[in-house]
Amino acid sequence: MITSQGLLIGIDIGTSSSKGVLVNPSGEVLARASRTHETSFPRPGWVEHDAETVWWRDFVELSHELTAAAGSRPLAGLAVSGIGPVLLPADAAGRPLRPAILYGVDTRASREIAELTAELGAEAILRRCGTPLSSQAVGPKWRWLARHEPGIFERTELFLMASSYLVHRLTGEYVLDHHSASQCDPMYDLRAADWAGDWARLVAPGIDLPRLLWPNEVAGTVTAAAAGQTGLPEGLPVTAGTVDAWAEGASVGVTEPGDTMVMYGTTMFLTQVLTDPTPDPGLWTTRGVVPGTYSLAAGMATSGAITDWLRRLAGGDFATLVAQAARVPAGSRGLLLLPYFAGERTPLFDPDARGVIAGLTTGHGLGELYRAALEGIAYGVRHNLEAMAGAGGVARRLVAVGGGVQGGLWTQIVSDVTGAAQQVPRETVGAAFGDALLAASAVGLEPDIGGWNPVRSTVRPEPARTAVYDEFYARYRDLYPSTVEVAHFLAEQQKQAGTDAV
């Protein structure tokens, strides 16, 4: 029996892991589950997932674990989210024709980005779509597919992302949420909130585009076949879902104008809600999760990936590195790091940017290096927040989420560098919890986010450290233009040698 008073399941497919939660109507997490998976890097600049062995396998395992935790208690709804925007070409039955081409970390379509920008005009794209074409955009990857894998392109009937692939497998419905669609530049008209038919036909001729829904709308119900595979009850309502970062924003109540999410993960991601955007070439302007809203978004190409790189080089653990870094004063005893280890997304949009560590001496140790990495990422956050302010955004409230929130040092450094307080909610589990919230909304439970996920603590800047960081930040902004020509030369050498970032 399915009832609007039943339990809710949220499942999110991430870059390196998938997570799920079982939640009651009051927002209490009753069970958690996770699975790690591999990301494929078949060539330099290519980043892919196999939809069957990564997305669907993880979902099936997580759904079995969570439904087992529910026991005899009824379920009310399910929502899914996932990495995005991605390009997964599929046949008419929804069977993938190749691995999914991932979001902005996949930089294979540089030629197609330049071509489409020249054909359509940079200003026209920004005005209609809200965002300049970059490696984050889906449209150039469609053209790449048609050019380099024409046989697959000709067989493609459906265009799926991580969330919509799962929705299709579960319900048979071919849908995509408005937010995800608004990242398919230049295929979506931001103001019209609909596909840009003429440009979509130019980019992906002959492809039948999915029906558009909002993330908290019910797309369909679990079919008998899907129920048999997943353990979910037949007839369970499934929402349209969305991209993981925006589900994560929903999980902490980032839905009102001025709300800003700072997501600490493998990559640093920021979203800010507003109602009347001024598209900026250094940011992504998209539709929001809630109808009638838009969002400014910013994403750094690496953040947690750098700290993990240092951990692996050191052969230690995060707790030890954090403890060492905490004993180092602000400024890392004269170190400055550019965190562009895999190029940079916003606000530079430079896939050939490279990491720089300036000021190294033999007197520096792991503690200084690790703190310099955290500080460099924090300078990148400040750079993006300043870009948002320049685009008309007002960060009235910052909310910190993601795995990097744990421990406290990273969030404290970001508050010190930016001079802004950050709220830390009770639940920082992320997108899966936001999925459960969207599912609750879709089935009419009308959850109150303040009750679902109240603020647990607030990280406040320390003025003395902020004054130090102001000086370092000015030099940080100077360091990229001072080294960009060298970085581009080295990036070209790395491509030729097959050793550029993956």
Side-chain angles (χ1 to χ4, degrees), residues 342-367:
E344 187 54 301
R345 295 192 282 170
T346 65
L348 301 179
F349 288 122
D350 183 357
D352 289 332
R354 287 296 180 264
V356 174
I357 304 174
L360 271 175
T361 72
T362 56
H364 290 114
L366 284 172

Side-chain angles (χ1 to χ4, degrees), residues 98-480:
R98 72 171 324 280
I101 301 172
L102 298 199
Y103 53 100
V105 294
D106 185 295
T107 58
R108 74 184 68 191
S110 297
R111 173 185 172 187
E112 290 74 20
I113 290 168
E115 285 180 354
L116 285 169
T117 299
E119 288 176 29
L120 301 175
E123 286 299 322
I125 293 170
L126 187 65
R127 185 169 55 251
R128 189 176 190 183
C129 305
T131 304
L133 296 185
S134 71
S135 63
Q136 186 80 351
V138 170
K141 292 172 183 177
W142 270 117
R143 179 166 284 192
W144 180 94
L145 185 70
R147 171 174 287 144
H148 294 278
E149 299 178 358
I152 289 175
F153 183 85
E154 291 170 5
R155 294 164 55 203
T156 299
E157 298 284 341
L158 304 183
F159 159 42
L160 300 170
M161 293 194 190
S163 58
S164 62
Y165 168 78
L166 295 176
V167 170
H168 189 269
R169 286 289 298 259
L170 291 166
T171 69
E173 295 293 330
Y174 180 42
V175 301
L176 186 66
D177 69 286
H178 279 277
H179 168 72
S180 297
S182 71
Q183 293 206 48
C184 294
D185 306 308
M187 302 167 67
Y188 182 91
D189 190 309
L190 191 67
R191 295 288 182 182
D194 200 358
W195 293 114
D198 53 344
W199 284 5
R201 287 189 293 272
L202 172 70
V203 171
I207 303 298
D208 180 29
L209 297 176
R211 176 168 58 98
L212 295 172
L213 296 174
W214 292 99
N216 64 345
E217 288 189 280
V218 173
T221 59
V222 173
T223 64
Q229 290 181 273
T230 63
L232 295 166
E234 182 181 357
L236 180 70
V238 180
T239 72
T242 192
V243 174
D244 52 4
W246 278 261
E248 190 146 11
S251 80
V252 294
V254 176
T255 56
E256 298 295 325
D259 288 348
T260 304
M261 177 190 72
V262 184
M263 185 175 75
Y264 296 75
T266 303
T267 65
M268 183 72 78
F269 206 86
L270 297 89
T271 64
Q272 185 176 125
V273 181
L274 67 168
T275 55
D276 188 20
T278 301
D280 184 278
L283 298 167
W284 300 302
T285 306
T286 69
R287 276 283 169 172
V289 170
V290 178
T293 64
Y294 298 85
S295 70
L296 290 174
M300 298 170 64
T302 52
S303 55
I306 300 174
T307 62
D308 188 53
W309 170 74
L310 280 170
R311 179 194 60 79
R312 287 184 281 109
L313 285 181
D317 57 73
F318 282 120
T320 300
L321 286 169
V322 169
Q324 291 176 342
R327 293 192 291 268
V328 176
S332 300
R333 296 194 176 99
L335 287 187
L336 189 58
L337 180 144
L338 289 183
Y340 309 149
F341 284 41
E344 187 54 301
R345 295 192 282 170
T346 65
L348 301 179
F349 288 122
D350 183 357
D352 289 332
R354 287 296 180 264
V356 174
I357 304 174
L360 271 175
T361 72
T362 56
H364 290 114
L366 284 172
E368 287 85 1
L369 277 171
Y370 195 78
R371 187 177 187 101
L374 297 181
E375 290 173 344
I377 296 162
Y379 298 138
V381 171
R382 178 169 170 175
H383 192 184
N384 277 293
L385 287 173
E386 289 179 355
M388 287 179 167
V394 179
R396 295 189 176 92
R397 184 172 73 99
L398 267 62
V399 186
V401 296
V405 171
Q406 308 304 318
L409 179 62
W410 197 357
T411 50
Q412 185 63 60
I413 288 174
V414 168
S415 279
D416 290 341
V417 166
T418 61
Q422 296 174 86
Q423 295 179 352
V424 181
R426 180 183 65 194
E427 288 291 343
T428 59
V429 67
F433 188 69
D435 294 332
L437 180 72
L438 293 172
S441 175
V443 298
L445 293 181
E446 299 182 358
D448 170 27
I449 187 61
W452 261 62
N453 200 8
V455 174
R456 171 173 54 85
S457 63
T458 300
V459 181
R460 302 185 188 281
E462 205 288 316
R465 288 193 294 266
T466 299
V468 172
Y469 285 135
D470 284 344
E471 293 192 54
F472 273 78
Y473 178 67
R475 276 68 179 183
Y476 170 89
R477 291 294 302 273
D478 290 338
L479 190 55
Y480 169 73

